[in-house]
Amino acid sequence: MAQESDDVLRAAQDWATAGRGVALATVVETWGSAPRPAGSHLAIDDSGNFLGSVSGGCVEGAVVEEAQQVIADGRARTLEFGVADETAWRVGLSCGGRIRVHVERLDT
Amino acid sequence: MKLATLAALNAERAARRPAVLVSDIEGGGERLVKAAEAGGDPLAADVAEALRSGRAASVERDGKRHFLNPHLPPPRLLAVGAVHITQALAPMASIAGFDVVVLDPRTAFATPERFAGVRVVAEWPDEFLAREPLDAFTAVALVTHDPKIDDPALERALRAGCFYVGALGSRKTHAKRLERMTAKGFDETTLARIRAPIGLPIGAASPAEIAVAVLAEAVGALRRKPDVAAAAAA
């Protein structure tokens, strides 16, 4: 989904170049009626600023939170959200879909 | 992900060149495969499929999972003719996600006042398109009614493999256009790609309604014929 991730990837590059800690989250798999297709991006910096979307607003909060850990320790993580998952329910992915989101740090 | 890889990807995207990011989700690491180099990649077939479909996907090869994320240039719309139809088409196409350029050498038509917020270029197609060439991710709508302006753009659109080429005019006008293009050496298969009369047949009556028909036809060409990227990579 190149069209919609334009600013996100550019911003991630700019943030990292400016010396900020940056993580990039990518939807790597979807099942059912997931709101954003695989390949969608969310860029997060070490102050919790973010740009883009992996779920149309449902789970971004949780991803941003997890991204802080990724930026801190550099270990990539894959998160799964879905209606069957209690966490996902809590964070609001009630739209009936399930998604897997890969979060990794941008390393210079 | 390495910042250098992201920077290289962003450079390809800025230049409107398709590329695929291939990541090893479990083990870490990634590589950027530019469309021009796709044939030599170890996952050449999967990369080609990603470029063709435009969809990100995971594949398992030799016991490893790879995530392929294609980055295709955003669709562009070149409207040749700063006419009434274009005044409706340009803003609607922008909303639909197209990068819009309105081109018309007639300075009385191609004014910023008539096209607020849209890129308007008052030049002849040959001048402008020599500088900013057409590509397979561009839709071209020819709406001037004037062969002096439309034809040079049409020739370039056909040669560049633009994913949509629509031309305004009656069947009679179009028959004459086909004669001129045949004389230029275009074969029947290529000429059959021209959508004329322009726009989906919705019985459009006003310029704005014609614009709806043209935009819908262009979106259909973009979404229902996913071989755009393959043409660009070839």
Side-chain angles (χ1 to χ4, degrees):
Chain A
M1 293 304 288
Q3 288 136 260
E4 291 138 70
S5 61
D6 277 18
D7 306 332
V8 180
L9 295 181
R10 186 68 227 184
Q13 182 188 340
D14 292 345
W15 293 351
T17 305
R20 287 148 78 173
V22 179
L24 191 63
T26 308
V27 178
V28 290
E29 221 162 343
T30 66
W31 300 265
S33 63
R36 301 284 290 137
S40 304
H41 292 295
L42 181 72
I44 308 103
D45 80 357
D46 49 8
S47 306
N49 297 305
F50 65 94
L51 196 66
S53 158
V54 289
S55 73
C58 306
V59 302
E60 269 71 8
V63 175
V64 168
E65 206 172 297
E66 193 71 26
Q68 299 311 314
Q69 286 303 313
V70 173
I71 293 170
D73 64 20
R75 203 164 53 79
R77 292 157 171 78
T78 302
L79 317 172
E80 200 171 315
F81 301 99
V83 280
D85 182 303
E86 207 165 290
T87 312
W89 185 251
R90 186 161 52 77
V91 297
L93 190 69
S94 54
C95 32
R98 274 202 301 154
I99 58 170
R100 217 141 62 87
V101 180
H102 185 68
V103 189
E104 60 182 334
R105 188 170 71 180
L106 265 187
D107 290 316
T108 48
Chain B
M1 184 180 183
K2 289 259 186 302
L3 177 58
T5 310
L6 178 61
L9 169 61
N10 281 338
E12 291 304 295
R13 290 169 50 245
R16 291 185 62 83
R17 287 190 297 260
V20 180
L21 190 67
V22 182
S23 308
D24 177 350
I25 297 291
E26 280 138 35
E30 69 282 314
R31 66 176 184 276
L32 180 69
V33 184
K34 300 173 185 176
E37 301 159 2
D41 192 82
L43 297 177
D46 297 308
V47 169
E49 171 59 19
L51 286 170
R52 193 196 63 77
S53 70
R55 283 192 202 95
S58 294
V59 297
E60 198 158 336
R61 298 284 177 261
D62 302 322
K64 267 179 82 177
R65 265 183 104 64
H66 308 268
F67 180 66
L68 286 81
N69 199 0
H71 293 267
L72 308 184
R76 259 193 315 198
L77 171 70
L78 174 73
V80 179
V83 298
H84 211 155
I85 293 171
T86 312
Q87 285 181 284
L89 177 59
M92 288 196 297
S94 297
I95 290 168
F98 287 80
D99 285 342
V100 179
V101 179
V102 177
L103 181 65
D104 198 320
R106 299 168 297 181
T107 47
F109 287 80
T111 66
E113 291 75 32
R114 285 163 48 81
F115 294 92
V118 177
R119 186 171 171 216
V120 189
V121 181
E123 281 184 82
W124 287 91
D126 277 335
E127 280 177 82
F128 174 72
L129 297 176
R131 214 170 53 239
E132 295 190 31
L134 295 168
D135 59 33
F137 301 94
T138 304
V140 176
L142 306 161
V143 290
T144 68
H145 273 305
D146 184 343
K148 279 203 307 301
I149 304 169
D150 281 353
D151 280 10
L154 174 58
E155 283 178 49
R156 284 175 183 268
L158 293 174
R159 291 213 172 89
C162 292
F163 73 85
Y164 172 78
V165 184
L168 187 69
S170 65
R171 283 188 173 77
K172 213 171 122 193
T173 307
H174 187 56
K176 283 187 196 149
R177 182 184 288 127
L178 291 179
E179 276 174 31
R180 293 194 303 276
M181 290 299 125
T182 304
K184 292 271 185 186
F186 289 101
D187 61 26
E188 245 177 75
T189 319
T190 307
L191 294 178
R193 297 190 40 236
I194 308 172
R195 311 290 183 95
I198 199 169
L200 294 183
I202 56 172
S206 66
E209 289 178 7
I210 295 169
V212 170
V214 173
L215 181 57
E217 195 172 49
V219 170
L222 175 68
R223 297 299 175 205
R224 298 173 69 186
K225 297 219 166 52
D227 54 355
V228 187

